[in-house]
Amino acid sequence: MQEPILVLAEHLKGELADITFEMLGAARKLADQLKAPLYTAVFGKDVAPLTSQLGVADSVFVLDHPQLDMPSADVAAGLLKKLVEQKGVSLVLIGGTNVSAGIGPRLSFRLNLPFVNFCRNIRVENGSTIFTSQLFGGKILSDVRLPENRGVVSVYPGSFAADAGRSDKKPSVEKVDLPVEETKIVFKRYIEPEAGDIDITKQDILISIGRGIVSADNIAMVEELARALGGAVCASRPVIDQGWLPLSRQVGKSGMTVKPKLYMSFGVSGAPEHVEGMKDAGLIISVNTDPNAPIFGVSHYGVCADLFDVLPALVEKIKTH
Amino acid sequence: MDIFVLLKMVPDVVEELVIGENGKSLDPQMLRVKLSDPDEHALEQAILLKEKHKGTVTVVAMEAPEVDEILFTAFAKGADNAVKLTGDWTGIQAPSIARLFASYFSSANRQLGSQALVLLGSQAIDDLEGEVAPYLAELLGVPYIGVVTGIRLDEENKKIMVMKEFAGGLRGEFELPLPAVLGVQAAEKPPRYVPVAKVRSVMKSSHVETLEVPPPEGIAGLSIDRLFTPEAAGKAEMLEGAPEEASARIVEILAERGLLGR
Ligand SMILES: Cc1cc2nc3c(=O)[nH]c(=O)nc-3n(C[C@H](O)[C@H](O)[C@H](O)COP(=O)(O)OP(=O)(O)OC[C@H]3O[C@@H](n4cnc5c(N)ncnc54)[C@H](O)[C@@H]3O)c2cc1C
């Protein structure tokens, strides 16, 4: 029997995040294959009510503490280290999200165990666990192993089905009493997204642009198409980071999750962080000069062409329809 | 404020990435590198802070092809000092990179003072064994926050207010004392552009310090079985023909689904 596997449950503003269930589903399968117990830990303020949703795990360890409102990475890593040592855990799964950023490396440092980043798949071969990580923004995958199957793994969001991690089973919950370290980092407040000029999460039709648009001056052409279709313009991160459109128009991991009836993209490569925010749109049509652009993998229809040729032709065809 | 920006080069994914003969790393012969995007934002954020609060900006980079140009560009943007760490470190990963940078701060005249702020890119596309910033924070024993998109300094230059990105446009504000290590996701403004002519003239007047650092040893690492390219999902039906033809097909598809004339 293998030593226990531990999933760090992630939550934000009183709700468990999808990544928690993705990790639980993947870890359940792995634990069954390795005949290892599956544990999950929830740290935070007022988190005890969340434990009822964690029945996929064999044991839930909860630490509900007023000082753990949005704990910093060093505090979380400190708690995890103690739990790992107390319970003899061999493998820790942590969300590869903004919320959990930095916990994994700090934990791996303190345990002197290796860290696997960007994990997109886990499988067992001859008793040894193989993790598939994405590199270079998803252009390359890498199969890696941990010596003695021991280490800390950061799970890339969207890699596993969240449903496999949900269960109505009543979990076995244990309150743990771990000392909460002092930290110099004080969480002050949440800053809600600015109500932008347009709420892209409420639009039926979105025209999305990426780095392929090249300059802010070209956005007028896209706006013309959006007007012709009665939709709004949204964008990938580089367009927002350049300041060409407001943050409220960003689609993806750190932007908005959208589910319009139509999502048309122009010059968007389809990085996992972008796809996360738009993959459930009803109809996805993408224009890109690169036939191998990953965006075509999530699109219903694709056009391999220069967006500056397609845009005017399309506006013309819509107007004359 | 004494701001340090730590830079690293990463494979340029605009180029095709070729896996080397060993099957475990990219072919160095076929590799083009560029400054990691978030590192460029870290540098921009440093310059913005200097413009607002005075102080110095020191950039420290790991040796790599074309890194000198990056360092001189940093001078042209407003950096005051540039340091190049040299050594042999093929295939080096974050836990070791953090030690290289930490060794820069370990010599007597470079210890982190009460005004020191260390900025790095929040993450890089080749961070297989984790991000450098949190490891460095562990080594230096200072607070760390990642995915930072804004930094403000209080009047007494002792504390900083940091904006961290969560998801869905939600952000959080945190307060922490200096010295600190921050992983920058995006600067408050897009990275500035400097004309090549300015970089050239800076090359004549500025000096890049070099510092040899031996590769760190004895760090628990993972083992790579192989690298491979993902299979194209190939889900989309491709609309062939000239832009006009493809556009006509799109209009048909939209019309069939009642998505026109809204
Ligand atoms: C923590 C974190 C959070 C992130 N959050 C987000 C997020 O919320 N949203 C997001 O989008 N990204 C996010 N990213 C960034 C993401 O990893 C990618 O870098 C980004 O999505 C790439 O944007 P892009 O597709 O516009 O640019 P690129 O990847 O540079 O792609 C440009 C595309 O345009 C095509 N192209 C170029 N010229 C033309 C032309 N003339 N005609 C047609 N096609 C053309 C190219 O073939 C290419 O495919 C995040 C990254 C990190 C690390």
Side-chain angles (χ1 to χ4, degrees):
Chain A
M1 193 173 106
Q2 156 105 14
E3 293 149 278
I5 299 170
L6 175 72
V7 168
L8 174 65
E10 181 174 313
H11 53 89
L12 186 63
K13 296 184 106 182
E15 274 183 50
L16 286 165
D18 273 355
I19 185 74
T20 303
F21 299 106
E22 286 189 41
M23 289 191 288
L24 281 172
R28 180 74 268 168
K29 190 171 150 205
L30 180 64
D32 291 345
Q33 281 174 319
L34 297 174
K35 302 199 171 35
L38 173 60
Y39 298 162
T40 184
V42 199
F43 305 138
K45 181 177 159 230
D46 305 326
V47 289
L50 300 178
T51 55
S52 65
Q53 299 170 52
L54 300 171
V56 161
D58 300 313
S59 300
V60 179
F61 302 114
V62 60
L63 180 60
D64 201 328
H65 195 288
Q67 262 166 273
L68 288 178
D69 192 11
M70 194 49 75
S72 63
D74 60 334
V75 172
L79 293 171
L80 276 174
K81 174 170 188 273
K82 292 202 187 79
L83 197 61
V84 164
E85 288 167 349
Q86 263 182 26
K87 308 286 176 190
V89 169
S90 59
L91 196 64
V92 184
L93 267 55
I94 300 176
T97 57
N98 290 354
V99 174
S100 297
I103 301 174
R106 296 200 94 141
L107 180 64
S108 107
F109 183 93
R110 291 180 199 186
L111 293 170
N112 195 26
L113 285 177
F115 181 73
V116 180
N117 211 359
F118 307 127
C119 173
R120 305 216 56 162
N121 198 16
I122 305 174
R123 66 179 196 277
V124 178
E125 263 178 34
N126 308 325
S128 151
T129 312
I130 298 176
F131 303 88
T132 306
S133 287
Q134 76 161 48
L135 284 173
F136 316 121
K139 289 217 158 178
I140 300 275
L141 297 175
S142 173
D143 278 349
V144 305
R145 279 172 217 258
L146 291 169
E148 298 166 43
N149 289 347
R150 302 174 69 84
V152 182
V153 178
S154 174
V155 175
Y156 199 88
S159 302
F160 300 97
D163 282 346
R166 296 183 209 270
S167 159
D168 299 332
K169 222 175 93 191
K170 200 168 173 294
S172 139
V173 180
E174 183 188 324
K175 281 192 185 149
V176 287
D177 191 17
L178 299 171
V180 177
E181 285 166 43
E182 285 295 311
T183 173
K184 292 175 174 161
I185 301 177
V186 189
F187 173 58
K188 288 294 200 188
R189 62 182 179 126
Y190 289 109
I191 300 163
E192 300 292 336
E194 294 152 38
D197 45 352
I198 287 171
D199 183 353
I200 57 169
T201 64
K202 299 214 164 74
Q203 297 285 320
D204 280 344
I205 294 181
L206 286 175
I207 312 298
S208 177
I209 50 174
R211 216 195 298 256
I213 198 75
V214 182
S215 103
D217 300 339
N218 296 326
I219 295 179
M221 290 167 73
V222 187
E223 269 160 358
E224 196 181 348
L225 174 64
R227 263 196 307 278
L229 284 169
V233 180
C234 60
S236 68
R237 173 157 208 151
V239 173
I240 308 295
D241 282 351
Q242 287 297 321
W244 298 341
L245 284 173
L247 185 61
S248 54
R249 307 274 189 118
Q250 182 173 321
V251 171
K253 184 184 174 90
S254 39
M256 303 295 166
T257 299
V258 298
K259 229 179 138 177
K261 293 197 171 96
L262 170 65
Y263 191 90
M264 272 188 90
S265 86
F266 293 87
V268 175
S269 63
E273 292 89 356
H274 185 80
V275 169
E276 196 181 317
M278 48 65 75
K279 61 180 190 307
D280 295 324
L283 175 65
I284 304 171
I285 304 179
S286 297
V287 180
N288 197 304
T289 40
D290 175 5
N292 296 319
I295 193 74
F296 290 134
V298 292
S299 304
H300 301 95
Y301 295 96
V303 182
C304 182
D306 191 320
L307 70 91
F308 297 107
D309 294 332
V310 178
L311 266 177
L314 188 56
V315 171
E316 178 63 29
K317 289 274 186 275
I318 291 167
K319 285 188 174 157
T320 55
H321 180 76
Chain B
M1 195 160 30
D2 309 320
I3 311 171
F4 297 88
V5 189
L6 313 184
L7 302 175
K8 89 173 201 187
M9 307 292 272
V10 296
D12 186 349
V13 296
V14 169
E15 307 288 319
E16 197 192 337
L17 300 176
V18 182
I19 297 167
E21 260 172 36
N22 65 7
K24 298 186 182 199
S25 57
L26 295 181
D27 183 346
Q29 240 79 66
M30 305 291 282
L31 193 61
R32 268 199 57 185
V33 292
K34 61 173 284 222
L35 181 61
S36 178
D37 277 346
D39 289 10
E40 195 172 348
H41 280 267
L43 174 60
E44 181 62 32
Q45 187 61 53
I47 305 286
L48 291 172
L49 284 170
K50 178 187 162 180
E51 286 171 349
K52 214 158 145 193
H53 302 287
K54 307 257 175 356
T56 59
V57 173
T58 302
V59 285
V60 184
M62 292 171 61
E63 185 175 24
E66 286 165 59
V67 80
D68 287 359
E69 204 178 306
I70 301 293
L71 291 172
F72 285 116
T73 306
F75 273 127
K77 288 181 173 183
D80 303 278
N81 312 296
V83 183
K84 183 165 68 171
L85 306 183
T86 62
D88 175 22
W89 41 54
T90 29
I92 192 168
Q93 278 291 330
S96 301
I97 295 173
R99 280 170 175 83
L100 294 180
F101 285 134
S103 66
Y104 168 81
F105 292 109
S106 65
S107 52
N109 57 341
R110 297 202 193 87
Q111 243 132 48
L112 285 189
S114 61
Q115 299 276 300
L117 178 62
V118 182
L119 303 182
L120 294 82
S122 190
Q123 78 298 108
I125 53 174
D126 60 352
D127 278 341
L128 180 58
E129 297 193 31
E131 295 81 18
V132 178
Y135 285 112
L136 184 66
E138 285 286 323
L139 289 159
L140 299 175
V142 300
Y144 145 90
I145 296 185
V147 212
V148 167
T149 56
I151 304 168
R152 281 190 296 123
L153 184 69
D154 78 347
E155 290 91 53
E156 284 146 25
N157 284 16
K158 288 213 179 81
K159 275 191 212 140
I160 47 174
M161 298 292 273
V162 166
M163 199 94 88
K164 175 190 159 104
E165 199 172 271
F166 293 124
L170 181 72
R171 289 168 299 163
E173 193 175 53
F174 295 82
E175 186 186 83
L176 63 159
L178 293 176
V181 171
L182 299 179
V184 175
Q185 173 70 26
E188 281 153 38
K189 288 187 187 159
R192 66 195 66 198
Y193 171 78
V194 282
V196 183
K198 190 163 173 201
V199 178
R200 285 227 188 84
S201 79
V202 157
M203 279 181 170
K204 293 183 199 116
S205 57
S206 345
H207 170 69
V208 173
E209 191 188 330
T210 56
L211 185 69
E212 200 176 318
V213 189
E217 283 167 22
I219 295 157
L222 46 77
S223 63
I224 298 182
D225 269 14
R226 60 167 186 145
L227 299 188
F228 57 106
T229 27
E231 278 169 39
K235 180 186 165 205
E237 180 187 325
M238 299 305 284
L239 308 176
E240 309 292 342
E244 289 72 25
E245 277 170 70
S247 299
R249 262 301 279 147
I250 293 176
V251 170
E252 274 172 38
I253 294 164
L254 298 182
E256 279 162 22
R257 302 196 181 212
L259 289 165
L260 279 184
R262 296 166 73 92

